[in-house]
């Protein structure tokens, strides 16, 4: 993820330098071009994230985590019951 962000920043810098070379006297044009690029990059990133979230691998991972979380809760409840029974058996000091 950090590499993608770095790439986006580098591309923004290159775009800004190119825009500056095209119109050195118009900073508004430069700002507008950078804003347009940022909007396009944001839209692409949102699309990519939604594709990853909807992918079969992500769905399987979520199911696996949910199943194992339930198993962990069951095991924890069992250990808790064992500790309660052990505590009841301990003689009072």
């Amino acid at each position: 993820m950090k590499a993608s962000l770095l790439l986006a920043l580098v591309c923004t810098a290159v775009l800004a330098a190119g825009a500056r070379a095209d119109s050195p006297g118009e900073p508004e044009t430069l700002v507008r071009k950078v804003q347009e690029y940022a909007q396009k990059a944001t839209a692409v990133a949102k699309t990519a994230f939604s594709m990853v979230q909807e992918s079969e691998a992500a769905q399987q991972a979520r199911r696996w985590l949910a199943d194992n979380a339930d198993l962990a809760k069951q095991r924890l409840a069992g250990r808790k019951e064992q500790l309660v029974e052990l505590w009841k058996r301990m003689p009072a000091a």
Side-chain angles (χ1 to χ4, degrees):
M1 182 62 180
K2 291 180 182 180
S4 300
L5 182 58
L6 181 60
L7 179 62
L9 291 174
V10 169
C11 290
T12 302
V14 170
L15 179 65
R20 184 173 298 221
D22 291 342
S23 56
E26 300 179 21
E28 296 84 20
T29 303
L30 172 64
V31 170
R32 188 173 62 249
K33 287 184 179 182
V34 170
Q35 286 175 341
E36 289 172 1
Y37 175 76
Q39 289 173 350
K40 288 178 185 177
T42 301
V44 169
K46 284 181 181 179
T47 302
F49 283 133
S50 66
M51 287 175 59
V52 168
Q53 286 179 334
E54 295 169 1
S55 72
E56 181 64 29
Q59 291 175 5
Q60 287 177 353
R62 282 192 291 273
R63 282 193 299 267
W64 183 84
L65 286 171
D67 293 344
N68 286 318
D70 290 339
L71 180 61
K73 287 178 185 178
Q74 291 171 358
R75 288 185 179 174
L76 184 61
R79 298 298 180 257
K80 183 178 176 183
E81 289 175 14
Q82 289 176 347
L83 284 173
V84 167
E85 289 299 318
L86 181 63
W87 187 260
K88 288 179 183 178
R89 293 182 193 168
M90 296 276 297

